[in-house]
Amino acid sequence: MPQSPISRLRMRVGVGLMALAMIPVLAVPPAARAAEPAGPAAPTSLRCEYLVNPMGIDMAKPRFFWIVQHAERGQIQSAYQVVVSTDPKAAAGDTWDSGKAASPKSTQVAFAGTALESGKSYFWKVRVWDRDGRESAWSDVARFDTGLYNKSDWKGAWIGQKNQLRKEFSLKGRVKRARAYIAGVGYYELRLNGRKAGNRVLDPAWTTYDKRVLYAAYDVTSFLREGANAVAVTLGNGWYKSRALLFQLNIELEDGTATSIVSDATWKAADGPIFEDSIYDGESYDARREMPGWERPGFDDKDWPAVEAVKGPTGVVSAQLMPAIQVVDTIVPLKMSSPLPGVFIFDMGQNFSGWARLRVEGPRGTDVRLRFAELLFDDGTLNQDNLRSAQAEDHYILKGEGEETWEPRFTYHGFRYVEVKGFPGTPKLDSIRGRVVHSAVEPIGSFAASKDILNGIQRIITWGQKTNLHSIPTDCNQRDERMGWMGDAQGTAEEAIMNFDMAAFYTNFMRDIRDVQDEKGRLSDTVPHIWGGENADPAWATAYPLICWYMYQYYGDTRVLEEHYDGLKKYVEFLRSKAENGLVKFSSYGDWVAIEKCPGAIVSSFYYLYDVRILADAARIIGKTADAALYDKLAADIRTAFNREYYDPKTGDYADGTQTANTLPLFLGIPTEKEGSAWGRLFDDIVYKHNAHLTTGIVGTKYIMEVLTQSGAADLAYDIACKTDFPSWGYMIASGATTLWELWQNREGSSMNSHNHPMFGSVGAWFYKALAGINLAPGTTGFEKILIQPQMVRDLTHASGSTRTVRGEVACAWARTELDAHVEVTIPFGSQAEVVIPKLGIRNIKITEGGQTIWASDTYAAGVAGVLGAVDKDGAIRIQTGGGRYIFVLEGN
Ligand code: RAM
């Protein structure tokens, strides 16, 4: 008997690769469960909108989501009841009671009660019924707060200019409820009675300020007290490059009186210890200029001038409904060295975005200078060459009163190394801590495999991805750029969705994109638009349709299609107006940073077709049938034109036959039988010309792995993924990368040489989809129907992935030897799956689950709970299941 691979899998997990947490599956033997039928457990992980902690929702019809566990496999929800109330027990249902609604929906359930009011708290709960009519207990009660719905709810004015603003006020009773609403641009820090509200930093999110400014809402009930109170706001330049504050504090006292403190001419202002702050260049802080107590009541501000009214940004003030930027982690440096006298270099061991926290003791007036970089020169000194004009330099000037701890507020750097100069004496390793700062999207995915290089790639992808989420998806985090380049954003979106909870983040980004659209329908290369053209490369602008579409696919979100349909249509119509002979050909970047670059025109034409198809599908989904027919027809015409224009019957290639040129049409199924040679040409190019290496840029790389896998060449995709010589992801790792690079090449000395650029990370989606086998079933959304199809390629002996979807966790972990395979899957309650287990050349296959036979003598054996059937098709046994956890064991000889 071969040793069970599962025990080996456990041992690998034991050494700390990734938490699988999938074993054991069956706590209760099936017989006992049958005797004692248990209904659904109370719904858990309730969410209003996509939010964990919804504060300041300013939409009329928020949506509700819940997750259900059921003791039985294969169960479904037959009905739900949602109750929304103004009382904290959600007992009254005075705002909405859906009643028992016969529906399997547990996601995207839109509020349909009496109109929500501005600035209130609401409480909600849900219960469900299963297929057999058994009802769950009520969920716990969850709260959501509405924000300020109307412009007229804001009573204050924009004030600003200086960076420290304060106001004192007195309350004549105990506080029952208090909410602070703040839009402080570029960035703000809010303190009430000396205490910082919340844990956001670099807030609010960067937007096109003359279109939309975001405000945060805070529950500050516990911050206030009867008598004297003080509100203090520190402002930074941020991306707004000036300082303006709009603030409102709504207070209800226990005796029922209501009062508001708003930003107005009664505030006082001064310039505090921050004497310079710039995102690229850094922050300078003079602790000698601190004014102790200024954020508390009783501070003598009679010398402070009254605040100035400022124009402020002109955009609509709307709620920021996505995870804010936070200090997500603190890193201890690996080592400290001193390449020159008085110069100390700290190696954090990881490239990330954020800053350093400094601990120092020394004479008053000492100027400690911190500089940041991704690289070192050979002599061990700091190499800032690839930061271009970004200074990435912070200063802290000591006040000289014992130990001082400081970290900046209004800048961030992308770095692995910190250079310290001017330190009084010799710093110790604990003089510096790395503070990891990015949008605090929840990590929801994990991937691991028996081939270590893949785990290394997963690691540099996720570090690169999260540290480039800075309220928008940025291209890089270190040099004088850090822009919302849309090509990079669309390229990495599927990978990001598998690894992080991106729903709220992308909801916001889609609005950011809409904000830059001009009356002609054009979109810009970067969003907000600073760099690149105002008429974006189609491979960049496609971020708009593509990410809307991913949100529809992965989250089952139809609202995003409704909300953006007009914008998408306008964009597609703009493209159509630019078409030549039925094809869009203009291009600025094309298959950016490719090794063998295909003509930009074919890339643009590909995205034109892709965008039109998405628009046609979106039209169908939201019931615009005439549009659907119109764009279906347009798509068919583009396909014909594409083959006519780009396919060369003499060579059998599309365009110049580069990998990208042949990959793109294959991905969209453009070739007909006549153009059928493209696939073989692509295969030959990779295998014979390039020995399983890519020559693609960010566009081709995104699709090539999937095209190979879909065409039955997953082995080749795997070979590519495992390479460690140039060009490959493994080459980056072999050269010391801890985040993905901008280029396949290690181009020292070049100004385009970022070492943290997530755009080549698209392969991360392939890890989940192909190696861990986690896919949406074709044509379905929101993981209601799942296709588990792990590719058990070459020498890979196990792989596992899990991702938390809107319906609950979806996971697959498999392990195999020559004669058997184990596949453990987790399918959410109410979902269905097809689990595809390859036969791997094994004969006389028998498949069991929990000791019971499912497949033997080429026949399906019914009877395993949750399993609905199995067939032998295309070299695999395909098992249909309902929700639940299963371990399938395939054996034979
Ligand atoms: C570079 C950016 C980005 C890319 C553009 C075209 O400046 O870093 O990655 O999208 O160029």
Side-chain angles (χ1 to χ4, degrees), residues 388 475 479 481 485 488 531 540 589 592 742 757 759:
R388 303 195 297 224
D475 62 327
R479 67 187 181 207
E481 192 162 357
W485 282 99
D488 311 40
W531 286 48
W540 269 240
Y589 314 114
W592 186 243
E742 177 173 24
H757 227 84
M759 62 196 184

